[in-house]
Amino acid sequence: MTLYSYFRSSAAYRVRIALNLKELAYETAPIHLQREGGENRKPAYRAVNPQMRVPALKLDNGELITQSLAIIEYLDETHPQPPLLPRAPIERARVRALAQLIACDIHPLNNLAPLRYLKNALGQEQARIDAWYRHWVLEGLTAFEAMIEPQPYTCGSEVTLADLCLVPQVANARRFKVPLDGFPKIVAADAACAKLSAFVKARPEDQPDAE
């Protein structure tokens, strides 16, 4: 399999963790989101993924899957061990809700494309853009913190899809100096995940395209 990825992309980070947990071999095809206006916007990658986003996963049979949560659920369905979603429907819904809180509520507002739009199209100063970033991260993590208990992961004694979404978001928060002092349960879950090799190998700084 080939993973079209950018080392700093939190969406690609989620998929790398899933691939590692499933012990699936893959090659990385780096797509730099900032070089030359973004390699993702070049015709070569647009032909791969018309949405011009990473990640995208090309399967051995040539099929392509886009969107990180869709990729992860595909991997979970085709390689069910270890499972990333609980068996009970109510627990599956809870895990999905936590994952989507990050992937659908926090991340889209702080992705590179909208941040560039704030700066380039709307003329916002960097200080205001940084304030925008922190606001949405803090609002989302406040809700996430209230919805979990350290056990030691976000949803119990096993890693789930919620953890795969949380860890990259925490890494981004730290990178942009968002204070995490008010989120002890989140910090504890992140620390528990950091003890697992699948999470360690997926870290941005350890990717072949890291800068």
Side-chain angles (χ1 to χ4, degrees):
M1 293 185 286
T2 300
L3 179 66
Y4 294 89
S5 178
Y6 177 56
F7 75 105
R8 282 195 181 128
S9 164
S10 59
Y13 192 170
R14 299 169 196 149
V15 174
R16 293 196 300 264
I17 297 169
L19 288 164
N20 293 342
L21 285 168
K22 304 289 185 180
E23 298 184 349
L24 297 173
Y26 67 96
E27 296 180 352
T28 298
I31 304 295
H32 203 293
L33 301 186
Q34 295 185 316
R35 185 181 297 144
E36 299 178 355
E39 292 177 353
N40 57 307
R41 305 189 69 82
K42 304 294 185 184
Y45 187 65
R46 188 178 297 200
V48 173
N49 181 7
Q51 195 181 9
M52 299 178 290
R53 304 254 177 144
V54 295
L57 184 69
K58 182 179 286 186
L59 306 180
D60 292 337
N61 63 6
E63 293 279 356
L64 189 84
I65 309 174
T66 63
Q67 291 292 338
S68 63
L69 297 190
I71 293 170
I72 293 169
E73 292 215 29
Y74 168 83
L75 294 174
D76 204 40
E77 291 167 0
T78 56
H79 300 84
Q81 296 300 322
L84 299 176
L85 288 165
R87 293 180 62 85
I90 187 63
E91 294 302 322
R92 292 170 75 89
R94 180 167 177 259
V95 168
R96 285 189 171 116
L98 288 167
Q100 290 173 24
L101 189 160
I102 291 173
C104 302
D105 291 343
I106 301 176
H107 184 222
L109 293 168
N110 292 319
N111 208 353
L112 185 59
L115 295 181
R116 276 181 176 167
Y117 188 81
L118 287 171
K119 184 173 185 177
N120 299 330
L122 301 183
Q124 295 298 311
E125 297 178 357
Q126 191 61 47
R128 294 176 67 85
I129 295 172
D130 292 345
W132 163 282
Y133 185 99
R134 286 190 296 271
H135 171 79
W136 295 115
V137 171
L138 289 170
E139 183 165 291
L141 292 186
T142 297
F144 198 100
E145 177 79 7
M147 295 166 69
I148 66 169
E149 294 297 335
Q151 358 179 24
Y153 306 109
T154 56
C155 295
S157 60
E158 303 294 334
V159 168
T160 68
L161 177 61
D163 299 290
L164 273 62
C165 290
L166 177 65
V167 168
Q169 184 60 66
V170 169
N172 277 351
R174 288 184 171 132
R175 179 170 167 245
F176 287 96
K177 297 180 171 52
V178 177
L180 299 175
D181 299 351
F183 309 115
K185 291 185 285 186
I186 286 174
V187 170
D190 178 71
C193 291
K195 297 176 182 177
L196 304 177
S197 62
F199 285 81
V200 174
K201 290 193 298 182
R203 293 184 304 186
E205 59 267 31
D206 293 331
Q207 301 317 300
D209 58 329
E211 297 176 348

